[in-house]
Amino acid sequence: MDTSEDPLLPQVHGPIPRDRFHMVYLIFYLLGLGSLAPWNFFITASEYFKYKLRNTTQLDDEYLDPNFETELQAMFESYLVVANTVPNLAFNFITALIIQRVCLKTRMIFSLVLIILMFMVTVSLVEMDTDTWQTTFFSITLVTAVLISSGGSILGASLFGLASLFPSQYVQATMTGQAMGGIFAAVANLVTLAIGSHVIDSGLVFFMFAVFMAVLTLVGYGCLYCLSYSKYHILEIGNTISVDVNSHGDDIGFVVPDHGCSYYSHIFRKIWKEGISVCLVFLVTLSCFPAIASSIVSVVKIPTPWSEKYFSALVCFLLFNCGDWSGRSVAGSIHWPRYGQSSLLLMFSVLRVVFIPLLMFCNVQPRTSHIWFNSDIYPVVFILLLGLTNGYFGTLAMMYGPRRVSADKAESTGAMMSSFLTTGLVSGSLIAILLMKSL
């Protein structure tokens, strides 16, 4: 792995320490994993929430039967989307604006502690009998989802700002780690399907793992202040994180530099192509995944474990996340379009819109329109390519953006790129709702 410095990073305070045994790279991989794994496990536990909100007058094993669906079950997923997307987008922009005013440690520790506390609340509710107070449980769950999403948004924007202080492969490590979080959740879902564990037990495992990952992420972040290579980039490169450094190398609380609209508009003019590229990449992806992709069913007419039990879990979730992870990993060594070819990267991001009609005309059910791709091989190929291109082009854009500005603006640029990414996620989620209604 090449750990050479980006040309825009100033050479100060003598020789640059080395990333011994790639420990800092691995920590950023862990931080990326920990930033998304908790929310991935939250949404993977959808069957647990449907069980908690079931019609209690029916048999327990009928909680997924649409004939007995309760109003709370019907509302839950749409409310959960709002509880995720609105605070996610809002706090990404807020973090980008306050990144020069609130120190890095405060943002990182606050967000992780908030996530840990909210998941502990969620864990405490798993074994409780909530059948007589389902509406209260519904409300508590949505409040915790809002707070988890808010904390995750602050964490994600701060993490990309932090990674932008390092050479670009550390942004790639963060992106790749995030994709691994999706793979973990998909594999856990497959395991619970295979062993047939009770939905309450599955929910407990998911949420306990989410707490474990958040705690591990907090420990990993703390380790960055113990390694000379990461300490150099965080504390010694000019004023890149805009905090004072005392004689012991610790950042001092809050700093309020004079950064107005001109500061952010200057960054925007430098990175707008990379920003729009990553926005479009994730807009197209979220337009297709998971809403459309998870609605594709096998064309096999004879009921089999493949067609009824494993098709969606394997083809939609695991295959996409593996492709996404592979694309992000490849972006660490293969850079094409190259840095400086922003227009070409933007063009490829626009061309990915072809995935929307390709997946819509697979065997998406229910539907009233004609199916063009009436074979299981088509969704396999399309979803794999969707994941690969999402990971590859999204990671390139996130790596190139911070390199276009000077080191003193790198952290703000990383947070701004995170805001572009989140804008794509939210826009794609809204488009997916319209596309599903058009089928």
Side-chain angles (χ1 to χ4, degrees), residues 284-315:
V284 170
T285 297
L286 267 291
S287 297
C288 304
F289 177 90
I292 294 176
S294 63
S295 299
I296 299 173
V297 299
S298 174
V299 299
V300 177
K301 303 299 182 182
I302 302 173
T304 64
W306 160 254
S307 61
E308 292 195 330
K309 191 174 184 180
Y310 295 109
F311 182 82
S312 181
L314 280 170
V315 173

Side-chain angles (χ1 to χ4, degrees), residues 27 30-31 33-39 108-120 123 155 206-223:
I27 289 174
L30 169 65
L31 295 178
L33 172 60
S35 67
L36 279 191
W39 182 257
M108 294 288 288
I109 294 175
F110 170 79
S111 59
L112 283 166
V113 170
L114 178 62
I115 291 170
I116 292 169
L117 291 176
M118 289 304 101
F119 268 108
M120 289 177 67
V123 168
L155 174 63
F206 288 160
F207 300 139
M208 288 295 291
F209 190 82
V211 173
F212 170 75
M213 284 306 306
V215 171
L216 194 60
T217 303
L218 183 59
V219 172
Y221 171 69
C223 289

